[in-house]
Amino acid sequence: MALAHNLGFPRIGRDRELKKAQEAFWKGELDEAGLSAVGRELRATHWQVQKDAGIELLPVGDFAWYDQVLTHSLTFGVIPERFRPHSGKPTLDTLFAMARGAVGKERRDSCCGAAHAQPLLAQELTKWFDTNYHYLVPEFTADQQFELSWEQLFEETAEAIALGYQVKPVLIGPLTYLWLGKAKGTEFDRLELLERLLPLYGQIFQRLAGLGVEWVQIDEPILVLDLPQEWKNAYERAYNLLQREPLKKLVATYFGGLEENLGLAANLPVDGLHIDLVRAHEQYPTILDRLPAYKVLSLGLVNGRNVWRCDLEKALQVLQHAHERLGARLWVAPSCSLLHSPVDLEREDKLDAELKSWLAFAQQKCAEVSILARALSEPEAADVQDALAASRAVQAARAASPRIHKPQVQARIAAIRPQDSQRPAPFAVRIEKQRALLQLPAFPTTTIGSFPQTSAIRLARQSFKQGRLSEAAYIEAMQSEIRNAVSFQERLGLDVLVHGEAERNDMVEYFAEQLDGYAFTRFGWVQSYGSRCVKPAVIYGDLSRPRPMTVEWIRYAQSLTGKVMKGMLTGPVTMLMWSFPREDASREGQARQLALAIRDEVVDLEAAGIKLVQIDEAAFREGLPLRRSQWRHYLDWATEAFRLCASGVRDETQIHTHMCYSEFNDVIESIAAMDADVITIETSRSDMELLEAFEAFEYPNEIGPGVYDIHSPRVPSLEEMANLLRKAAMRIPAGRLWVNPDCGLKTRGWPETEAALVNMVAAARQLREEL
Ligand code: GLN
Ligand code: ZN
């Protein structure tokens, strides 16, 4: 009676087949026919898997080469001039060039007359709402024309129908699509393009109707954001026009609550609305009173963004209530597309049975959706009863499990006092003691932590993990890397040294592996962007640090040099943001536990004679909630977690933090409240403009604005970096500036790293002379 449907299925494949095929295609090892075949097979498998799990209406259009927003840009003909084919329609090469950049046609350079192949810069990549998925930002021009230019959606719809599936094509809605893009060239308002874009949706609906489609899903997740009034107004206009076109339309919202947009969304002239009740449970039951009586309501009750089994009984209570009001107008779905979940739990052969019984990946989530729908129509069916009983048992087991609930951790949390998140003395006092102890020159030079991760390093780590390299041999291999890194830095004349992070595969996993309360999957991959997938660690229980995690490496590194060695840790907020968190504990509670674990490490490093510790918070800014009204709460607990981990040390111990590229203006107060003695940030590409926020706020502590872009192999000149430093010194008093690259160097090669750092050290020396 209630329809079980899905908003989207992961496209990567249970063995990351898509990643492998795309990468082979890029290397020329697989031809286009081969790549297409892999795609076709994956789609067929995924439709079948969902159908077998009991999904009645299957998504199509969720498959994409590289990225679904990019597919839309091709579909609408939003192809930047530099990638536009000279004749005919765009091809797969056009698509991948937009995604990855390309080498352009040779052009005569006007200055020297020589022929240069111009690099064609890829479109910008940015975060998809508050997920760790990244999409390619559409580029619009003021005179943007739209034209149906890509057949993929129609082909795949026909493909699914030919295979006998009942499908619902998925499109990003016109307003969300425009919102996600950027105006290029002359300034203009993207909303002006709406009138031109809408006819394309009409054409698409016509063609889909011609294929025999009944429903289309139109994703409008921006309805959960704080929208400017013009954008809200545009909704009614747009959907009034689309109303005249064929097909039944389900508008899908997710990643948050509709809040003040609830009335707007409920009243759009479409046939159905999907809301996310995992993220925003409070929308229910309000929505029932606002929804016109003709409309379908799809409730997202199975979390599409996490790995935990759904509490079916809890979800069923909501559904039963909704069902009484809506009857067959009720649909059941995951909260959002399952793009953000790993594919298949059954693949996990190394997880212990208990832990595994608590988890559900995309395939299992589809089965949960289906069971929930069936529980309404056939409550007495044996499989429904079994599933509910199993879910109840899992919830009970987790609630009582001593693996999850650790009285010792909880007692420690309960005993936290306000002064634990407070350095003993204010910055002004600390910095004097630190300067006396560290004896650093003006414009001290340092790096952000990692040095090039060579294949030898990766091989050593892998061999050790697989038991092919003894522990002693592994330690020796890593120590040898540390020796190289230290002598390299001494030779270059850097002031504060790092050990190089050779032992770390990843800045979260390395620590997660050593903390109690974390589990690891073998196949829990989720697409991050393009062919890149991440396998986040799973926080399943109360977190603690059984033993030191980095102390031996750092102590060894310090023993090799008279220079100051920096301890290197990942902060609690970043640990949390880049993991699958618990659903049975608050995010701030988990951050606090992580903070205590990291605090222990900071204290141990200090006890081992380390004078300076960097605690990276790369994800601090990106953790901001989608809604401004929730910022205060987030910033408070995130700042508090950082302070808690950083405040266990003496005044003399200098705490650094590092953040990657961020917009600091709206969070500068919290950055200051973190009270790190030094913050290093990514700034070089902003021409030091990011420092404006620090300048305006009169940020009191020290700052290391990155003076070169580590994303590019290009070696910046001494003059270039000296100029950036002069610009920085116009905003921040020179006595508080550090000199460092934008971020870690692990993706760089040694030759360019050396050349760039030689110039960086020389630039710092030049600035000292100018003082
Ligand atoms: N210390 C880390 C490194 O150098 C920081 C990485 C990051 O900020 N993303 O690799
Ligand atoms: Zn960084």
Side-chain angles (χ1 to χ4, degrees):
M1 276 230 274
L3 181 90
H5 77 117
N6 187 14
L7 305 192
F9 196 81
R11 54 183 80 110
I12 55 174
R14 75 204 295 258
D15 284 314
R16 287 180 294 156
E17 292 90 336
L18 186 59
K19 171 199 178 67
K20 293 168 193 165
Q22 291 191 148
E23 287 175 358
F25 178 74
W26 297 334
K27 279 193 221 138
E29 292 164 4
L30 185 70
D31 63 8
E32 187 164 337
L35 181 63
S36 299
V38 171
R40 207 175 320 114
E41 232 164 85
L42 282 172
R43 290 189 294 273
T45 307
H46 295 160
W47 287 320
Q48 190 59 42
V49 154
Q50 293 173 79
K51 188 175 178 197
D52 289 345
I55 298 293
E56 294 161 272
L57 195 51
L58 307 173
V60 54
D62 50 353
F63 180 84
W65 304 112
Y66 215 94
D67 164 44
Q68 74 269 16
V69 181
L70 178 61
T71 313
H72 283 72
S73 293
L74 280 139
T75 304
F76 300 141
V78 182
I79 301 167
E81 176 61 37
R82 62 188 183 283
F83 298 112
R84 220 166 284 162
H86 289 301
S87 59
K89 296 265 179 194
T91 62
L92 210 49
D93 286 334
T94 317
L95 181 148
F96 286 133
M98 288 163 74
R100 312 173 63 230
V103 182
K105 297 260 162 349
E106 289 204 342
R107 287 191 192 152
R108 292 273 154 200
D109 205 321
S110 55
C111 63
C112 60
H116 289 300
Q118 303 279 337
L120 301 182
L121 289 189
Q123 291 189 180
E124 192 186 322
L125 202 59
T126 200
K127 255 170 92 74
W128 176 247
F129 297 86
D130 59 354
T131 71
N132 287 328
Y133 179 80
H134 301 76
Y135 71 93
L136 284 153
V137 180
E139 295 180 16
F140 303 124
T141 54
D143 62 351
Q144 186 70 53
Q145 301 301 319
F146 300 97
E147 185 193 356
L148 264 194
S149 306
W150 195 248
E151 292 290 303
Q152 196 177 336
L153 182 64
F154 311 116
E155 288 167 3
E156 290 173 8
T157 303
E159 187 179 295
I161 291 173
L163 291 169
Y165 298 112
Q166 217 189 328
V167 290
K168 166 183 50 118
V170 181
L171 279 162
I172 297 174
L175 286 150
T176 293
Y177 177 70
L178 288 177
W179 178 270
L180 296 173
K182 259 192 185 165
K184 293 279 166 169
T186 41
E187 277 281 313
F188 67 98
D189 182 357
R190 305 189 304 292
L191 257 188
E192 286 165 17
L193 303 179
L194 182 62
E195 250 60 39
R196 266 176 264 165
L197 174 61
L198 285 175
L200 276 277
Y201 281 83
Q203 293 170 32
I204 292 171
F205 296 165
Q206 301 272 359
R207 292 212 28 206
L208 291 174
L211 292 172
V213 164
E214 186 189 359
W215 278 93
V216 67
Q217 172 186 322
I218 310 177
D219 286 3
E220 289 283 12
I222 66 165
L223 283 166
V224 310
L225 306 180
D226 302 317
L227 283 182
Q229 191 58 44
E230 314 87 78
W231 285 77
K232 293 186 200 174
N233 298 344
Y235 262 97
E236 225 166 292
R237 212 163 16 125
Y239 281 86
N240 275 330
L241 281 170
L242 293 184
Q243 184 185 14
R244 303 189 201 140
E245 304 293 346
L247 297 186
K248 292 187 182 162
K249 302 166 194 79
L250 175 80
V251 165
T253 68
Y254 39 80
F255 301 151
L258 287 161
E259 298 184 17
E260 79 287 357
N261 299 332
L262 189 110
L264 169 68
N267 289 307
L268 288 177
V270 293
D271 309 272
L273 175 68
H274 170 86
I275 57 173
D276 179 342
L277 288 191
V278 172
R279 269 301 181 82
H281 204 270
E282 67 287 349
Q283 311 188 82
Y284 191 89
T286 325
I287 184 69
L288 292 181
D289 296 327
R290 307 291 289 274
L291 196 78
Y294 64 88
K295 252 189 208 185
V296 161
L297 180 65
S298 162
L299 296 182
L301 284 159
V302 171
N303 194 347
R305 295 184 50 172
N306 212 330
V307 289
W308 300 104
R309 254 172 99 149
C310 177
D311 183 343
L312 293 178
E313 292 209 304
K314 210 168 119 199
L316 190 54
Q317 274 173 17
V318 177
L319 284 174
Q320 277 162 343
H321 181 261
H323 196 235
E324 276 166 29
R325 294 274 297 263
L326 300 167
R329 289 194 289 125
L330 175 66
W331 288 13
V332 191
S335 59
C336 59
S337 167
L338 297 174
L339 175 67
H340 312 288
S341 299
V343 182
D344 183 11
L345 179 67
E346 284 319 309
R347 196 87 179 71
E348 296 298 330
D349 45 9
K350 294 267 153 65
L351 276 181
D352 67 272
E354 185 184 33
L355 190 60
K356 196 168 164 181
S357 75
W358 297 342
L359 301 176
F361 293 177
Q363 225 168 291
Q364 290 70 34
K365 286 171 190 290
C366 288
E368 292 180 326
V369 167
S370 154
I371 280 289
L372 284 170
R374 295 218 17 248
L376 296 172
S377 51
E378 300 169 61
E380 304 305 329
D383 60 332
V384 170
Q385 286 301 319
D386 288 352
L388 289 175
S391 172
R392 200 168 8 197
V394 159
Q395 296 307 321
R398 282 181 56 191
S401 165
R403 268 175 92 175
I404 295 183
H405 308 279
K406 307 266 173 66
Q408 261 175 328
V409 177
Q410 284 160 18
R412 226 185 133 191
I413 293 284
I416 296 173
R417 304 154 305 165
Q419 62 264 40
D420 294 332
S421 336
Q422 181 83 45
R423 299 285 299 266
F427 172 75
V429 174
R430 298 194 308 263
I431 194 68
E432 290 312 322
K433 297 189 187 173
Q434 292 164 13
R435 284 189 179 137
L437 179 75
L438 299 173
Q439 292 292 322
L440 296 171
F443 294 104
T445 53
T446 190
T447 60
I448 305 304
S450 55
F451 276 122
Q453 291 244 333
T454 58
S455 38
I457 293 179
R458 278 192 222 108
L459 187 70
R461 270 200 322 253
Q462 223 174 37
S463 306
F464 174 54
K465 234 182 175 161
Q466 292 165 354
R468 286 185 282 115
L469 192 68
S470 71
E471 184 169 3
Y474 172 72
I475 291 177
E476 171 44 34
M478 292 299 117
Q479 288 186 340
S480 143
E481 294 296 337
I482 293 176
R483 286 194 296 275
N484 284 343
V486 169
S487 68
F488 170 84
Q489 295 169 85
E490 285 189 323
R491 186 152 47 80
L492 265 54
L494 283 146
D495 301 306
V496 170
L497 311 195
V498 296
H499 77 297
E501 301 183 25
E503 78 288 3
R504 303 184 191 177
N505 41 357
D506 170 292
M507 63 188 286
V508 171
E509 194 173 69
Y510 177 77
F511 293 97
E513 277 173 347
Q514 303 186 68
L515 292 173
D516 263 0
Y518 261 109
F520 295 86
T521 63
R522 289 186 72 203
F523 306 98
W525 296 99
V526 177
Q527 189 178 13
S528 169
Y529 64 88
S531 67
R532 197 180 146 75
C533 301
V534 292
K535 189 158 67 65
V538 179
I539 303 178
Y540 69 85
D542 289 337
L543 294 153
S544 59
R545 185 201 71 147
R547 63 194 71 82
M549 305 182 281
T550 63
V551 174
E552 280 320 308
W553 301 126
I554 308 293
R555 191 207 307 267
Y556 178 72
Q558 180 70 84
S559 76
L560 301 172
T561 179
K563 293 258 174 104
V564 180
M565 179 60 58
K566 184 155 66 161
M568 191 59 62
L569 305 171
T570 300
V573 181
T574 302
M575 291 291 297
L576 181 66
M577 292 298 162
W578 291 349
S579 305
F580 283 119
R582 285 167 71 174
E583 283 180 351
D584 62 340
S586 68
R587 287 201 307 163
E588 54 266 43
Q590 295 171 75
R592 213 172 290 134
Q593 294 182 354
L594 286 163
L596 285 182
I598 297 159
R599 178 188 176 99
D600 293 346
E601 188 75 10
V602 179
V603 168
D604 282 351
L605 282 167
E606 180 186 66
I610 302 304
K611 304 185 183 78
L612 201 158
V613 181
Q614 177 175 314
I615 308 167
D616 290 328
E617 280 294 22
F620 187 88
R621 173 65 174 73
E622 67 169 63
L624 274 179
L626 295 173
R627 290 277 193 177
R628 276 225 175 225
S629 58
Q630 295 164 15
W631 280 22
R632 186 72 271 149
H633 176 65
Y634 164 76
L635 288 170
D636 285 349
W637 68 251
T639 305
E640 180 72 15
F642 182 84
R643 294 173 61 112
L644 183 58
C645 80
S647 298
V649 289
R650 295 179 299 141
D651 293 342
E652 287 79 0
T653 300
Q654 189 165 76
I655 299 291
H656 288 216
T657 190
H658 165 73
M659 290 186 197
C660 303
Y661 193 86
S662 306
E663 194 53 66
F664 289 109
N665 275 307
D666 37 20
V667 293
I668 188 69
E669 213 182 315
S670 303
I671 305 277
M674 287 167 72
D675 199 23
D677 298 306
V678 181
I679 181 170
T680 56
I681 56 174
E682 186 169 338
T683 31
S684 71
R685 276 178 303 169
S686 86
D687 207 25
M688 295 293 146
E689 273 169 23
L690 283 185
L691 286 179
E692 215 177 85
F694 292 84
E695 180 188 18
F697 188 79
E698 296 181 33
Y699 181 82
N701 302 9
E702 302 201 339
I703 312 178
V707 292
Y708 83 85
D709 179 12
I710 54 85
H711 300 288
S712 156
R714 197 178 72 85
V715 175
S717 68
L718 185 167
E719 260 323 298
E720 217 174 293
M721 289 188 272
N723 276 334
L724 283 176
L725 284 169
R726 288 184 198 109
K727 279 189 185 163
M730 279 155 49
R731 298 190 183 274
I732 308 289
R736 285 200 259 125
L737 283 175
W738 283 64
V739 180
N740 45 265
D742 270 341
C743 193
L745 297 160
K746 69 171 162 227
T747 56
R748 292 272 60 89
W750 275 109
E752 76 248 22
T753 296
E754 168 153 10
L757 289 178
V758 163
N759 291 349
M760 187 188 89
V761 169
R765 287 190 179 138
Q766 188 159 329
L767 265 285
R768 280 170 206 157
E769 272 164 33
E770 292 171 16
L771 273 183

